[in-house]
């Protein structure tokens, strides 16, 4: 390399500042929260692995070399291949955790990468949970700086996921400040994943998360071997912000340096649908007892603009489309109550009573909800009844958000239900092994317990 090829930069780059933040202290409560997200991911991944999409990735994994890391509902593989396969599973059901401002799902990318590398290296429980915390922090901090222009075209879990996986794996590899910055730089240079997949009945969305997990792991491994990476990957003239974010907010990467670890601001999802449909589902659940068998004439849903951009789908024709349909989610909830997995399966789509009610659901963007978004995901429902009564319910924050938290017992029950839906007979043992990590149990104990 010729002298002066890289311009000198006097102050730390954004990634170097982020690396410094990742070194701050971690408390027992932080590790406990990370363990809950790990359990939540295991449930989502087990059910996702049992799906048609999951079967494709399990078939691919079966052709790869065996290793120490466990593949959900499969055999064992080397870390990179396990991260790839497991990275596909957690997002299939649309029940994975979510950070509102960043509008991304850290769990299905960070956790598969960290879990695979921890198994390969024989890491302890604290090391695995600390890696998850750092991965969430990196992915969310960068994600919340990307702005709405990025989300309009790109899948943030795909673009930001490599950063999270790289930070988690860099933590497990014990990378120093320079090595971690290299890992983040080389993860970011691979960022990609456009939204066209949500407009077609395809499985590509799971390829996004699989690639992100594997790319981040490899970026950290290569940094450990000395592969340098761009320190200005975010703010550089041809970096991520310049290329992928029309309205980036670079200050959000390092804002609030003394705030709690951002895993605590990450939401759990109770319903098997796109998160943008959840506040409307919650409002429908609140209204349902007041309807009490009366005839519904019309239903009007108001939410923020992005909820409509992603979930205004009056005639869903597949499970994926139903999960991204406000009309379907509200109709099935008003009729049946809390929606189970089967509420979005093909038999439900053509049920006569559901089809009839779904046709009476209209949707609109409401300025107040739009202004509050993405800090708050809100919705309101107005139901007009045949007896002339009009009922309305408004939900400012979806169930599972920090302002409307899901109880720990409910998180564990969700994971247990999802594992059992996939035929896992030892769900309680998996949960116990994951919780034991917060007490320092070896990661190998959880790896061995995985279905």
């Amino acid at each position: 390399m010729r002298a002066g090829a890289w311009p000198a930069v006097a102050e730390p780059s954004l990634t170097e500042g982020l690396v410094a933040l990742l070194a701050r202290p971690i408390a027992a409560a932080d590790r406990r929260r990370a363990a809950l997200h790990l359990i939540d991911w295991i449930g989502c991944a087990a059910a996702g692995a049992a799906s048609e999409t999951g079967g494709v990735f399990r078939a691919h994994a079966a052709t790869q070399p065996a290793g120490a890391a466990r593949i959900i509902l499969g055999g064992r593989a080397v870390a990179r291949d396990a991260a790839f396969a497991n990275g596909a599973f957690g997002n299939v059901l649309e029940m994975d955790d979510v950070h509102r401002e960043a509008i991304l799902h850290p769990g299905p990318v960070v956790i598969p990468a960290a879990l695979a590398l921890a198994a390969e290296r024989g890491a302890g429980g604290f090391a695995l949970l600390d890696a998850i915390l750092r991965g969430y922090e990196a992915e969310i901090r960068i994600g919340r700086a990307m702005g709405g222009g990025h989300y309009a075209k790109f899948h943030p879990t795909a673009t930001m996921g490599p950063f999270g996986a790289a930070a988690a794996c860099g933590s497990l590899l014990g990378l120093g400040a320079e090595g971690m910055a290299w890992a983040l730089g080389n993860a970011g240079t691979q960022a990609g994943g456009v939204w066209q997949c949500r407009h077609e009945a395809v499985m590509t969305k799971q390829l996004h998360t699989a690639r992100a997990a594997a790319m981040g792991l490899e970026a950290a491994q290569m940094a450990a071997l000395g592969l340098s990476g761009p320190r200005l990957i975010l703010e550089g003239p041809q970096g991520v912000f310049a290329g992928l974010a029309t309205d980036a907010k670079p200050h959000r990467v390092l804002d609030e340096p003394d705030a709690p670890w951002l895993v605590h601001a990450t939401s759990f999802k109770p319903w098997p649908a796109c998160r943008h449909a959840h506040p409307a589902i919650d409002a429908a659940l609140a209204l349902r007892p007041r309807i009490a068998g009366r005839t519904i004439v019309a239903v009007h849903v108001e939410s923020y603009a992005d909820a409509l951009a992603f979930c205004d789908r009056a005639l869903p024709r597949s499970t994926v489309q139903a999960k991204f349909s406000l009309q379907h989610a509200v109709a099935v909830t008003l009729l049946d109550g809390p929606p189970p997995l089967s509420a979005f399966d093909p038999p439900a789509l053509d049920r006569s009573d559901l089809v009839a009610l779904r046709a009476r659901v209209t949707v609109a963007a409401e300025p107040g909800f739009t202004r509050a978004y993405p800090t708050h995901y809100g919705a309101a429902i107005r139901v007009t009844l045949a007896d002339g009564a009009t009922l309305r319910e408004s939900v400012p924050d979806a169930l599972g958000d920090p302002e409307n938290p899901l109880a720990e017992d409910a998180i564990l029950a969700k994971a247990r239900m999802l594992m059992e839906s996939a035929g896992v007979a030892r769900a309680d043992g998996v949960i116990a092994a994951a919780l034991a990590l917060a007490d320092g149990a070896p990661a190998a104990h959880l790896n061995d317990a995985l279905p």
Side-chain angles (χ1 to χ4, degrees):
M1 183 184 299
R2 63 180 175 81
W6 288 352
V9 179
E11 58 187 40
S13 67
L14 288 176
T15 52
E16 289 166 332
L18 177 57
V19 168
L21 283 178
L22 298 182
R24 67 191 193 275
I26 293 172
D30 302 322
R31 293 189 177 112
R32 176 76 178 192
R33 176 70 179 222
L36 290 176
H37 284 271
L38 172 57
I39 292 166
D40 186 67
W41 172 80
I42 292 171
C44 293
S51 71
E52 180 184 5
T53 300
V56 174
F57 283 88
R58 286 191 288 116
H60 175 268
T63 69
Q64 306 305 305
R70 184 78 180 173
I71 297 173
I72 301 290
L73 299 191
R76 295 178 184 266
V78 297
R80 188 260 176 216
D81 294 330
F84 181 81
N86 287 338
F89 300 149
N91 180 248
V92 174
L93 298 184
E94 297 293 339
M95 295 193 79
D96 43 339
D97 59 13
V98 60
H99 187 272
R100 292 173 297 178
E101 184 184 0
I103 324 178
L104 52 72
H105 308 278
V109 176
V110 170
I111 292 174
L115 195 59
L117 189 59
E120 187 172 86
R121 294 181 62 81
F126 287 175
L128 173 57
L129 297 178
D130 291 357
I132 291 171
L133 287 163
R134 292 177 176 128
Y136 272 54
E137 192 78 8
E139 184 172 339
I140 293 168
R141 281 185 171 273
I142 298 172
R144 70 185 190 181
M146 295 300 288
H150 176 76
Y151 185 59
K153 302 294 183 183
F154 291 91
H155 180 193
T157 306
T159 53
M160 301 297 101
F163 287 110
C169 293
S171 176
L172 284 163
L173 290 167
L175 297 185
E178 183 179 57
M180 186 70 92
W182 288 351
L184 293 174
N186 285 329
T189 203
Q190 304 177 75
V194 294
W195 268 132
Q196 184 58 34
C197 60
R198 75 179 180 87
H199 297 289
E200 304 178 34
V202 295
M203 301 174 180
T204 304
K205 194 162 180 268
Q206 276 61 66
L207 186 61
H208 284 184
T209 52
R211 287 285 184 213
M215 284 193 300
L217 187 153
E218 288 179 325
Q221 289 176 321
M222 295 302 290
L225 294 172
L227 188 73
S228 58
R231 57 191 295 269
L232 299 175
I233 188 63
L234 296 177
E235 70 270 36
Q238 291 186 300
V240 169
F241 291 155
L244 305 181
T246 58
D247 56 349
K249 300 175 283 187
H251 67 280
R252 293 298 286 145
V253 176
L254 302 181
D255 267 358
E256 303 165 332
D258 298 322
W261 288 89
L262 286 171
V263 70
H264 295 286
T266 303
S267 304
F268 293 98
K269 293 171 62 175
W271 317 124
C274 174
R275 186 58 168 178
H276 293 316
H278 281 217
I281 291 172
D282 294 338
L285 285 173
L287 274 177
R288 196 165 178 271
R290 296 162 60 193
I291 296 172
R294 298 147 79 184
T295 301
I296 298 173
V297 173
V299 180
H300 184 64
V301 180
E302 296 178 334
S303 194
Y304 46 92
D306 263 355
L308 271 67
F310 281 78
C311 296
D312 180 4
R313 187 168 281 106
L315 296 172
R317 301 312 309 159
S318 68
T319 295
V320 171
Q321 289 185 354
K323 289 173 179 287
F324 283 80
S325 170
L326 282 166
Q327 293 89 337
H328 182 83
V330 168
V332 77
T333 302
L334 287 173
L335 286 174
D336 299 340
L341 296 174
S342 60
F344 301 90
D345 288 343
L349 304 187
D350 296 322
R351 213 177 78 196
S352 59
D353 59 340
L354 182 50
V355 170
L357 182 56
R358 195 170 61 209
R360 300 179 196 137
V361 179
T362 57
V363 298
E366 196 280 320
F369 290 130
T370 300
R371 284 192 299 271
Y373 172 84
T375 305
H376 301 278
Y377 286 20
I381 294 181
R382 184 178 70 249
V383 174
T384 302
L385 302 173
D387 60 16
T390 298
L391 307 177
R392 186 178 188 278
E393 191 68 46
S394 181
V395 172
D397 295 289
L399 180 62
D401 285 345
E403 299 85 356
N404 188 14
L406 201 61
E408 182 171 315
D409 285 350
I411 296 168
L412 301 183
K414 169 192 166 183
R416 188 179 298 109
M417 177 274 293
L418 289 173
M419 282 187 270
E420 290 173 351
S421 77
V424 176
R426 307 180 308 278
D428 285 332
V430 175
I431 291 171
L435 290 175
L437 297 174
D439 295 322
H445 290 182
L446 174 61
N447 192 55
D448 291 341
L450 288 176

